[in-house]
Amino acid sequence: MSTVAMWWDPSRIEATVTRQFVCSQLLPDEIKRLDLPLGFGDGLTDGTYWEWIDEKAKRIFLILSDLGVPDQIFGLIDDSWDDDDLPIPLDQIERLALTATRDDKFDRRFYARQFHYLLKFVEKGDHVVYDDPEVVPLNVDKRPGLNLNSAVDRVELPNRPGEFFSRRRIPVGPGPGYLTGEEFIYEINKAKNIENVHLASFFASYTHQGFAYVLFTLPSDFSLKSLLVTMPSSLKSLAKQDRRRLLMNWIHCLVDSLCYLHSRGLSHGNIKPSTILFNSDNHIFYSDISRLSVEAIANSSDKSTFDKESYDYAAPEQWYRPSTSHSSIHRKSTLIASSASASTSSDNSSFSISRGGSEGVNPASMLHSPTPALNPQAVDIFSLGCVILELLSFLMKRQTRNFASHRAAKHKSAGRGGAVLDSSFHKNIGQVETWMTGLAKEASKKDDQVFRGVAPMLQVVARMLSVVPHERPTAQEVEQCTYRILTENCQIAEPHCVHQYGGWDFGFSNLNISRGGDAFNISTKRHSGSARPGSRLTSYRPMSSSSIQERDMDGGSSSQAMQNVRMNKVRNWQAHMYSGNSDSSPHTNSM
């Protein structure tokens, strides 16, 4: 951290301005004057100069001491000045008569210095409006080597020592690429309701000297994009098995945090390696989802640049509409409902990513043709599937550039030059499949138990990468599968981030993840009738509150009321399970 300033909060002022401190700033004759009666009041008061300083003028004394004229405190007290008069307007400081003759430079120094003792500290959830001359109490990290720019930096608040934040300067005004004042307030109010330990979350905001600033939690030290190229020292220093377990846990953390967003009716909308972030403690988190994000700030001035990374990790429907007669079908529990299609197929052990009949469509030709009724949560699932595949490749020590070359291999032609090859996931599904098969073969040869989870996790990814949006699983389904893979296949007893954001899903007791030969198969046990008798959760786990903090939504919202009912049901069920009465189902009265 760069040189840390001393910030004068009320407790520091009280502790500093003692009689001993005051005496240390005065000459002997001036010290004797401290105990004399005040020079005004015509004897109607028995207070002394020291008592006035101690009770009413500690800030003024500190200002005078900083300016080298502590002896002027007596004249100010005689004129009845005290801390309640601060801040004194610049055009009124001459009335203090601090210098023998008029000194505008000295008056400006007094005017500026007084704000160091009138600090307004930034607290969680605040939006503070600072006047131009006021001092914003925060320390900016200016260590060399930090990836900073004029709009984003790393700061620490003196009232929250040891906690760092990402500060972003937001362009607010009437110009293009700027937010209006009303839009800025709307965005920060919206961001206040989203908080997760694996998501850069709003902490506070303020305006100062014509700029708006927002503080977000979790300043990043590197991203998945940089990690895939060069392993950071914080990860390299771990033992091999610890590193492998951490990578698998990262997958669960990302999936669980997406459950958090989707359970609130939200979506991330921009999942790709550069928006998957880390700090030096190897803590993984998403970039925030608001218009106040780093990327939104960077792109606000130039919207014409083609973002190849966003294209590569985008869902196919973001670039063209998959040609399928089922495009209007509502998304359902595909990892469970796959049993319906399996019952009519003579071979339910083959593996393929559903194309939906979209081969041959040129996405570039439909660049500006958005898909009608785009499902943003289904888009998140596809993009996260791509990211998980990158993490699994990294686990298997496969280079991301080799993966990109493999995806683009069928686009190569003889000769030199030409356009950049299309290495997107959605246009190279066949190449993605062969890459996944290679990873599974390699993982099967490894001894570490963690690698037993690679092939099952690839099976889940295969569903996530379906070209047809409604065939992709929900975030909750992916989380349930990932949890099982980590606990049962990888033998990770306590995965990170075990939460339950929505209602309990009993369907996963039917899910059977298996691997036959070099192909993948996700199938389900089928039951006749509309419900399974004696349904119960086969892999029960209690809710955890250790790694998630959520802010209360508006108390009057119906969605929050519904969520509270669900949470109460879960707690009741937990008590029921722990009591040993696990043979009977909990009561589920309709809401």
Side-chain angles (χ1 to χ4, degrees):
M1 198 80 184
S2 56
T3 303
V4 177
M6 179 179 290
W7 301 105
W8 292 94
D9 59 14
S11 60
R12 183 184 292 274
I13 293 172
E14 285 294 323
T16 300
V17 186
T18 61
R19 183 176 178 103
Q20 181 180 3
F21 173 80
V22 172
C23 291
S24 70
Q25 304 295 308
L26 300 175
L27 298 175
D29 289 345
E30 295 165 346
I31 294 174
K32 294 177 182 178
R33 192 176 176 185
L34 288 174
D35 294 319
L36 296 178
L38 296 175
F40 63 92
D42 297 327
L44 298 179
T45 176
D46 57 359
T48 65
Y49 286 98
W50 160 244
E51 289 172 342
W52 186 280
I53 295 171
D54 187 43
E55 297 172 8
K56 298 185 177 183
K58 288 186 175 181
R59 287 178 171 83
I60 288 181
F61 187 82
L62 284 169
I63 298 168
L64 296 176
S65 179
D66 289 344
L67 299 178
V69 288
D71 58 306
Q72 293 298 313
I73 187 66
F74 298 103
L76 295 185
I77 294 174
D78 286 341
D79 290 335
S80 301
W81 292 96
D82 61 33
D83 289 347
D84 289 341
D85 297 313
L86 302 176
I88 301 172
L90 180 59
D91 60 359
Q92 298 296 312
I93 292 178
E94 185 180 4
R95 294 174 52 200
L96 303 180
L98 298 175
T99 55
T101 59
R102 179 171 177 170
D103 188 335
D104 292 339
K105 183 178 180 180
F106 187 91
D107 290 351
R108 287 193 298 271
R109 289 174 60 203
F110 183 99
Y111 178 74
R113 191 62 195 168
Q114 65 184 329
F115 293 104
H116 289 265
Y117 302 100
L118 299 170
L119 299 176
K120 293 188 292 191
F121 288 89
V122 179
E123 301 290 350
K124 185 175 183 179
D126 282 353
H127 175 65
V128 184
V129 179
Y130 291 98
D131 292 330
D132 286 357
E134 288 189 273
V135 176
V136 181
L138 53 77
N139 299 311
V140 180
D141 194 340
K142 296 182 179 179
R143 288 175 297 172
L146 287 178
N147 184 22
L148 304 176
N149 57 53
S150 60
V152 183
D153 48 22
R154 180 187 177 104
V155 301
E156 181 184 19
L157 298 177
N159 50 321
R160 299 180 77 94
E163 200 170 340
F164 294 93
F165 301 90
S166 172
R167 182 179 69 165
R168 305 169 192 176
R169 189 174 71 189
I170 310 298
V172 175
Y178 284 60
L179 294 178
T180 65
E182 293 77 11
E183 288 174 331
F184 175 70
I185 296 299
Y186 172 79
E187 288 296 329
I188 62 175
N189 285 333
K190 186 170 66 172
K192 286 179 181 180
N193 293 319
I194 307 169
E195 185 174 0
N196 186 287
V197 293
H198 291 288
L199 177 69
S201 304
F202 174 87
F203 179 81
S205 60
Y206 66 91
T207 55
H208 186 225
Q209 296 180 347
F211 291 99
Y213 297 87
V214 184
L215 304 185
F216 276 84
T217 61
L218 300 172
S220 64
D221 292 300
F222 53 94
S223 69
L224 179 59
K225 184 176 181 179
S226 62
L227 179 148
L228 293 174
V229 176
T230 304
M231 187 186 302
S233 58
S234 60
L235 188 61
K236 189 181 297 184
S237 63
L238 297 177
K240 282 186 178 181
Q241 189 173 50
D242 292 339
R243 185 162 61 240
R244 293 165 183 165
R245 286 173 171 261
L246 179 63
L247 285 167
M248 295 302 290
N249 267 308
W250 279 349
I251 293 173
H252 190 257
C253 291
L254 291 175
V255 173
D256 181 83
S257 300
L258 196 63
C259 284
Y260 166 79
L261 288 174
H262 287 192
S263 72
R264 299 166 79 89
L266 303 171
S267 62
H268 189 281
N270 194 28
I271 297 175
K272 55 186 178 180
S274 64
T275 61
I276 306 297
L277 308 173
F278 303 85
N279 61 21
S280 57
D281 296 324
N282 294 323
H283 181 81
I284 191 170
F285 55 98
Y286 291 103
S287 66
D288 65 282
I289 64 173
S290 71
R291 292 173 65 190
L292 308 175
S293 68
V294 174
E295 186 163 340
I297 297 171
N299 293 339
S300 61
S301 59
D302 185 5
K303 298 181 180 180
S304 62
T305 304
F306 175 70
D307 186 345
K308 187 177 185 301
E309 185 194 15
S310 292
Y311 170 75
D312 283 351
Y313 292 84
E317 64 269 22
Q318 292 178 277
W319 293 88
Y320 61 97
R321 185 172 186 174
S323 55
T324 170
S325 58
H326 303 291
S327 59
S328 62
I329 295 178
H330 184 69
R331 283 179 75 211
K332 53 189 177 183
S333 301
T334 56
L335 288 179
I336 301 167
S338 59
S339 60
S341 60
S343 64
T344 60
S345 173
S346 60
D347 179 13
N348 61 10
S349 64
S350 61
F351 165 74
S352 65
I353 298 174
S354 174
R355 269 67 161 183
S358 61
E359 291 289 331
V361 178
N362 179 12
S365 66
M366 303 187 71
L367 177 62
H368 302 293
S369 301
T371 302
L374 188 74
N375 185 331
Q377 293 190 351
V379 168
D380 281 350
I381 294 296
F382 185 97
S383 298
L384 182 57
C386 301
V387 166
I388 292 174
L389 190 47
E390 290 278 19
L391 284 168
L392 293 174
S393 301
F394 182 76
L395 175 66
M396 302 307 301
K397 296 186 177 180
R398 296 285 194 93
Q399 299 264 340
T400 186
R401 65 174 180 270
N402 293 341
F403 188 14
S405 297
H406 181 81
R407 294 196 303 270
K410 289 195 174 182
H411 299 285
K412 293 180 180 178
S413 58
R416 293 182 293 177
V420 176
L421 298 177
D422 189 332
S423 60
S424 66
F425 283 78
H426 61 266
K427 285 295 292 179
N428 299 286
I429 295 296
Q431 294 298 99
V432 171
E433 289 172 341
T434 58
W435 182 269
M436 292 167 67
T437 299
L439 292 180
K441 284 182 178 180
E442 189 173 342
S444 67
K445 301 173 184 177
K446 303 288 186 180
D447 294 329
D448 193 330
Q449 187 67 40
V450 172
F451 292 107
R452 303 286 78 80
V454 171
M457 197 67 230
L458 288 171
Q459 296 168 7
V460 177
V461 169
R463 293 289 183 178
M464 298 172 74
L465 297 184
S466 171
V467 173
V468 183
H470 77 266
E471 291 184 1
R472 297 172 202 150
T474 64
Q476 187 182 23
E477 291 175 320
V478 176
E479 188 278 327
Q480 292 279 4
C481 275
T482 305
Y483 176 83
R484 279 191 172 184
I485 291 167
L486 264 62
T487 55
E488 297 175 11
N489 299 83
C490 301
Q491 295 294 300
I492 297 176
E494 297 183 2
H496 298 174
C497 298
V498 180
H499 306 103
Q500 184 70 36
Y501 298 116
W504 292 96
D505 190 341
F506 297 95
F508 272 84
S509 59
N510 280 341
L511 186 64
N512 177 37
I513 302 180
S514 61
R515 182 170 181 263
D518 295 328
F520 296 100
N521 175 43
I522 300 180
S523 62
T524 58
K525 302 173 185 177
R526 285 179 287 118
H527 296 266
S528 59
S530 58
R532 294 181 287 107
S535 173
R536 56 185 286 193
L537 194 67
T538 61
S539 181
Y540 172 74
R541 62 185 191 271
M543 291 180 62
S544 166
S545 59
S546 61
S547 57
I548 184 72
Q549 302 95 29
E550 296 184 36
R551 294 192 181 185
D552 293 334
M553 298 289 284
D554 294 336
S557 67
S558 60
S559 62
Q560 182 62 44
M562 295 281 285
Q563 184 73 2
N564 290 338
V565 172
R566 294 192 189 98
M567 295 289 284
N568 289 333
K569 287 182 179 179
V570 170
R571 294 190 182 100
N572 291 337
W573 191 24
Q574 289 177 356
H576 176 82
M577 295 289 285
Y578 285 129
S579 68
N581 300 322
S582 58
D583 290 334
S584 57
S585 301
H587 297 291
T588 54
N589 296 329
S590 59
M591 292 184 287

